[in-house]
Amino acid sequence: MRSSDLPAVRALGLFRSMAEASFEDLVQAAYLQTFPAQLDLIAEGDPADFLYVVMEGCVELFAHANGRETTMAMVRPVNAFILAAVLKDAVYLMSARTAHKSRILLIPSENVREAFARDDAFARAIVVELANSYRTVVKEQKDLKLRTAVERLANRLLRYDAEQGAHGTVTLPHDKRTIASLIGMTPENLSRAFNTLKPYGVEVTGPTVTIADAAALAKLAQPNPLIDDETS
Amino acid sequence: MRSSDLPAVRALGLFRSMAEASFEDLVQAAYLQTFPAQLDLIAEGDPADFLYVVMEGCVELFAHANGRETTMAMVRPVNAFILAAVLKDAVYLMSARTAHKSRILLIPSENVREAFARDDAFARAIVVELANSYRTVVKEQKDLKLRTAVERLANRLLRYDAEQGAHGTVTLPHDKRTIASLIGMTPENLSRAFNTLKPYGVEVTGPTVTIADAAALAKLAQPNPLIDDETS
DNA sequence: CGTTGGATTGACCTCAGTCAATCAGGGTGG
DNA sequence: CCACCCTGATTGACTGAGGTCAATCCAACG
């Protein structure tokens, strides 16, 4: 792999504290590849052969059942995905495809499990990573079960605004169809949800959303740190 | 704590492989208490003071947002809950109350984190536990986003049947209102969903459900190992 | 017995999905 | 440079799943 990428990988919480030797082993065995947009990386049900780390670009995790498809998550650099399947030596629960052209690090799962078995610091870093992932999904489940589609959208907009500096001007990080699927609705319904939010000061122009009255939007959204905060 | 409970706790995947000394430390610090039914144990947002292990009875995990409440999970013996919050030294994301009279082991989270820091085997057992929990929630999210309420119920019945020996006679493990909330619907809608399943050979008498034609039910439910299988 | 809490039923309504048509923007090739 | 796609977004009309409210029923229990 390119040596200039090493620091970025090493800086990940997952790899930061592991022994240099273990890290070397992982990196030696890993492949760094660039994929075009819309390329299928893994399919749910496949055995977990690699741990994936998104270095550049963006990856969509999605799933199928009962003839439907839904977006489960969007993975941005620099982050790993499907760690749990790799550790359990199980099949992937989700499929993955590139959303844009992406540079991705593939670490053979056998090597990850070896490092996990040998390196105590790595094992503990994995605990932190998994605990965070777990809590993230629990929050998403609460979002899904306890909020209407409009409330979910409102909260999502407030979160994007916070992430982007709370200027009241948000750039949607993905296609609207993707965002719709991510928060559990159809593109048509997302469009209508944006209209529903217009009286609350939300204006949409292409991928740009302006929030004129964050307080009004928040009153509708009822943002909740136990659902919407990244950390905690 | 009662010495007769020790083997059951020790047999848990989470504690099985840890050093005897670490286990002793945890047990010494722990409290074993019996709580009546419908007693609130923890509230979401509270700091995680204890790791809980259900020894007997049953505990409901639930959550609030936007003026609504939903059941997140039912924890049966012998299982631990809210491990992630304890490890992160964060606040609970879910509330918990006893569903029935329950005997519960409370281990101070400080002691759990100490054991995690000191005992490498324990740290690795936690990884397995968290990976399983994570994958369980991901499956639940797929269930919620990809299936209708009737499909969720049908799959749930098939799962209960499999757990109870596949005799075609299922005893519902919880109140119908609880099951309704668990699978993301109202009690009224659950009642109607049962009626919808009648043409597929599902007969309900109180807490007993008979599945006359499992094949017909499965054709509707489209059970999927990547959602419905406990392990995997 | 009467009380109580869960379950069921009915009537109604609303949120959200479906289907189909239209529109806007961004390439591509003539 | 422009016509032509092609894709994603939007809009409208309709449908259907599922929530709400209220009344009733039923079994358990005092």
Side-chain angles (χ1 to χ4, degrees):
Chain A
M1 71 179 285
R2 210 183 297 180
S3 64
S4 63
D5 287 317
L6 274 180
V9 180
R10 191 65 156 134
L12 267 183
L14 192 55
F15 301 113
R16 198 177 303 146
S17 54
M18 79 191 299
E20 187 59 35
S22 316
F23 184 67
E24 274 301 315
D25 284 353
L26 281 191
V27 166
Q28 288 302 326
Y31 309 89
L32 183 66
Q33 268 188 276
T34 301
F35 298 98
Q38 299 303 326
L39 188 117
D40 285 329
L41 299 171
I42 61 176
E44 51 182 312
D46 286 354
D49 292 330
F50 294 96
L51 175 67
Y52 288 74
V53 183
V54 183
M55 303 302 303
E56 251 176 44
C58 187
V59 170
E60 175 184 6
L61 302 182
F62 61 102
H64 288 270
N66 297 64
R68 299 167 200 115
E69 174 177 325
T70 190
T71 302
M72 298 291 287
M74 302 300 292
V75 187
R76 308 193 132 282
V78 179
N79 274 299
F81 61 91
I82 44 106
L83 175 61
V86 167
L87 290 169
K88 286 205 64 183
D89 198 4
V91 299
Y92 298 125
L93 291 181
M94 300 183 274
S95 304
R97 68 168 78 97
T98 53
H100 310 298
K101 179 178 174 184
S102 301
R103 207 144 49 85
I104 296 174
L105 184 68
L106 295 87
I107 312 177
S109 42
E110 192 54 50
N111 297 77
V112 175
R113 286 193 296 272
E114 261 173 40
F116 164 67
R118 263 207 277 273
D119 189 324
D120 299 328
F122 186 44
R124 289 194 173 80
I126 288 173
V127 164
V128 175
E129 180 87 3
L130 286 177
N132 284 331
S133 300
Y134 172 73
R135 285 169 68 88
T136 298
V137 189
V138 167
K139 288 176 204 164
E140 285 166 8
Q141 196 176 328
K142 288 170 68 174
D143 190 49
L144 272 173
K145 291 184 79 176
L146 292 166
R147 286 172 171 164
T148 66
V150 170
E151 286 168 353
R152 289 199 296 277
L153 175 60
N155 278 297
R156 179 69 57 146
L157 291 177
L158 289 171
R159 190 197 309 183
Y160 287 154
D161 188 37
E163 285 172 9
Q164 295 175 17
H167 300 118
T169 306
V170 174
T171 303
L172 297 178
H174 314 291
D175 282 357
K176 284 179 185 156
R177 50 171 42 252
T178 306
I179 290 175
S181 184
L182 203 50
I183 64 185
M185 59 208 282
T186 58
E188 296 96 323
N189 200 30
L190 176 66
S191 201
R192 290 177 183 119
F194 273 126
N195 284 329
T196 305
L197 293 181
K198 203 168 275 181
Y200 297 86
V202 174
E203 211 67 42
V204 184
T205 319
T208 305
V209 179
T210 58
I211 300 172
D213 187 351
L217 189 59
K219 194 177 169 198
L220 169 78
Q222 301 267 93
N224 181 334
L226 300 180
I227 299 180
D228 305 296
D229 278 13
E230 298 288 330
T231 58
S232 89
Chain B
M1 69 180 283
R2 211 183 297 180
S3 64
S4 63
D5 289 316
L6 273 179
V9 180
R10 190 63 156 136
L12 266 183
L14 191 56
F15 301 113
R16 198 177 302 145
S17 53
M18 79 192 298
E20 186 60 33
S22 315
F23 185 66
E24 274 301 314
D25 284 353
L26 281 191
V27 166
Q28 287 303 325
Y31 310 88
L32 183 67
Q33 268 187 278
T34 301
F35 298 98
Q38 300 303 326
L39 188 117
D40 286 330
L41 298 171
I42 61 176
E44 51 183 311
D46 286 355
D49 291 331
F50 294 96
L51 175 67
Y52 288 74
V53 183
V54 183
M55 302 303 302
E56 253 176 43
C58 186
V59 170
E60 175 185 7
L61 302 183
F62 61 101
H64 287 271
N66 297 64
R68 299 167 201 115
E69 175 177 323
T70 190
T71 302
M72 299 290 287
M74 302 300 292
V75 188
R76 309 193 131 282
V78 178
N79 275 299
F81 62 90
I82 44 105
L83 176 60
V86 166
L87 289 169
K88 287 205 64 183
D89 198 3
V91 299
Y92 298 126
L93 291 181
M94 300 183 274
S95 304
R97 67 167 81 96
T98 52
H100 309 297
K101 180 179 173 184
S102 301
R103 206 143 50 87
I104 295 173
L105 184 69
L106 294 87
I107 311 177
S109 43
E110 191 54 51
N111 296 78
V112 175
R113 286 193 296 271
E114 261 173 41
F116 164 66
R118 264 207 277 272
D119 188 326
D120 299 327
F122 186 44
R124 289 193 173 80
I126 288 172
V127 165
V128 174
E129 179 87 4
L130 285 177
N132 285 329
S133 300
Y134 172 74
R135 285 169 69 88
T136 299
V137 189
V138 168
K139 289 176 204 165
E140 285 167 8
Q141 196 176 329
K142 289 169 68 174
D143 190 49
L144 273 173
K145 289 184 81 176
L146 292 166
R147 288 172 169 164
T148 65
V150 170
E151 287 169 351
R152 290 199 297 278
L153 175 60
N155 279 297
R156 179 69 59 147
L157 290 177
L158 290 171
R159 190 196 309 181
Y160 287 154
D161 188 36
E163 285 171 7
Q164 295 174 17
H167 299 118
T169 305
V170 174
T171 303
L172 297 178
H174 313 290
D175 281 357
K176 284 179 186 156
R177 48 170 45 255
T178 306
I179 290 174
S181 184
L182 202 50
I183 65 186
M185 58 207 284
T186 58
E188 295 94 324
N189 200 31
L190 175 66
S191 201
R192 290 179 183 115
F194 273 125
N195 284 330
T196 305
L197 292 181
K198 203 169 273 181
Y200 298 85
V202 174
E203 210 69 42
V204 184
T205 319
T208 305
V209 179
T210 59
I211 300 172
D213 186 351
L217 188 59
K219 194 176 168 200
L220 169 79
Q222 302 268 90
N224 181 333
L226 299 180
I227 299 181
D228 305 296
D229 279 14
E230 297 289 330
T231 58
S232 91

